[in-house]
Amino acid sequence: MTATTADAPGTPGAEASVLEVWGDPIAHSLSPRLHAAAYRELGWAWQYGRRRVAADEFAAEIAGLGLAYRGLSITFPLKAEAFAAATRLDETSVLTGAANTLVLRGGERLGFNTDVDGLVADLTEQGVAGLAEARIVGAGATATSALVALARLGADRVEVLARRPEAAAPLVGLGERLCVGISVATLLGSDGGPVPLTLSTLPGGAELPADAAARLAGDGGLLYDVVYGHWPTVLADAWQRAGAPAVDGRGMLLQQAVRQIRAFATGEVTEPLPREQDVVAIMRSALMED
């Protein structure tokens, strides 16, 4: 899966490559800003854009891509579609059943899930360590990545809050594979007691009764909300009213993007970028621009 020297970006004579982020909605995405900053710092002649793609349009859109395309970043609601479209998958994608990165190379589509490592890296930066239990709000594709990340951070008990408890069944099964005990409740009925971390995976703009949000804020510890384009969310507002700490998902976006760029460059997520610390610093500055 690793690129040859002749394929490697940044080498003399390397052709420009086209990359995009796909999702619906997509106008709010900060990925183009992050990737463009990284490519400039690295001196790579890559172009990175965005495309609004609905789930029922995904197959036709990816089939129509030309040879200039090197890869895709995938966001809501297309991670299951990307997983299905991949010809090869990394271990984390297989575990979660979702892919947020497709590397297009030699007729293959290499699928990766960089959300998990991105989330682990940013939660670690937030001081989350020695985690035994936590709460996940939501039960979609991002919730599976959140559960794997929590397991890698040491959690062995996780409460999942879902609008429809039956939607959490895949998370219960995944918890069994990860040796993590899963309890399930509705968004209005959490009774799991205090937790040091609440990880919200609800889409931006999702509605939640104010009383339910306030109750969760009362015993939810740090709120890590993966949303960044609709801030503050209902939950973040409740946490702020309660005087409790709440952070958005920009740090996760940054860390998973670094791993995406690694994959686009080499076909692997573990091979660091040239001068990676400098690249990350430039990306972080770009992320904070107004």
Side-chain angles (χ1 to χ4, degrees):
M1 291 174 63
T2 302
T4 65
T5 302
D7 294 330
T11 57
E15 296 182 357
S17 296
V18 179
L19 304 105
E20 290 179 341
V21 57
W22 288 11
D24 185 18
I26 200 62
H28 70 284
S29 177
L30 295 177
S31 291
R33 182 190 300 181
L34 277 174
H35 283 255
Y39 303 161
R40 284 194 302 269
E41 178 67 16
L42 289 163
W44 295 352
W46 289 6
Q47 304 170 33
Y48 189 101
R50 73 183 86 208
R51 187 184 305 199
R52 183 176 180 179
V53 178
D56 60 359
E57 300 169 334
F58 184 88
E61 291 287 343
I62 198 168
L65 294 181
L67 295 177
Y69 279 81
R70 188 180 195 97
L72 301 172
S73 304
I74 304 297
T75 187
F76 177 86
L78 304 175
K79 295 176 183 178
E81 284 72 17
F83 177 88
T87 57
R88 296 167 63 186
L89 292 158
D90 74 336
E91 180 181 353
T92 306
S93 293
V94 173
L95 190 60
T96 59
N100 75 330
T101 308
L102 288 175
V103 178
L104 311 177
R105 177 171 299 158
E108 285 199 289
R109 300 168 183 159
L110 312 181
F112 300 88
N113 183 333
T114 66
D115 283 338
V116 172
D117 284 344
L119 186 52
V120 169
D122 195 49
L123 283 170
T124 300
E125 284 195 4
Q126 300 295 334
V128 175
L131 190 68
E133 57 187 350
R135 178 175 293 142
I136 294 174
V137 183
T142 304
T144 62
S145 294
L147 179 55
V148 175
L150 291 174
R152 291 182 180 176
L153 287 165
D156 55 19
R157 299 183 303 279
V158 174
E159 181 184 44
V160 176
L161 305 185
R163 295 184 186 278
R164 297 179 298 106
E166 61 271 20
L171 292 172
V172 174
L174 178 58
E176 292 176 353
R177 294 162 61 191
L178 297 170
C179 297
V180 176
I182 305 294
S183 60
V184 180
T186 68
L187 292 172
L188 303 178
S190 172
D191 57 2
V195 292
L197 172 69
T198 297
L199 208 162
S200 175
T201 65
L202 296 177
E207 296 183 0
L208 186 66
D211 58 340
R215 185 168 61 254
L216 292 174
D219 67 358
L222 168 70
L223 173 67
Y224 191 101
D225 199 319
V226 300
V227 167
Y228 62 86
H230 298 78
W231 194 262
T233 61
V234 173
L235 283 176
D237 184 63
W239 253 255
Q240 291 169 0
R241 290 177 183 273
V247 296
D248 65 22
R250 285 179 295 176
M252 172 186 174
L253 179 70
L254 166 65
Q255 295 293 345
Q256 67 82 27
V258 172
R259 288 151 181 83
Q260 281 188 336
I261 298 169
R262 291 176 181 174
F264 293 148
T266 69
E268 300 286 352
V269 296
T270 55
E271 182 69 26
L273 298 169
R275 299 180 293 102
E276 184 164 288
Q277 288 187 339
D278 294 336
V279 174
V280 171
I282 291 294
M283 293 172 71
R284 196 182 302 275
S285 296
L287 191 61
M288 300 305 172
E289 293 175 358
D290 293 331

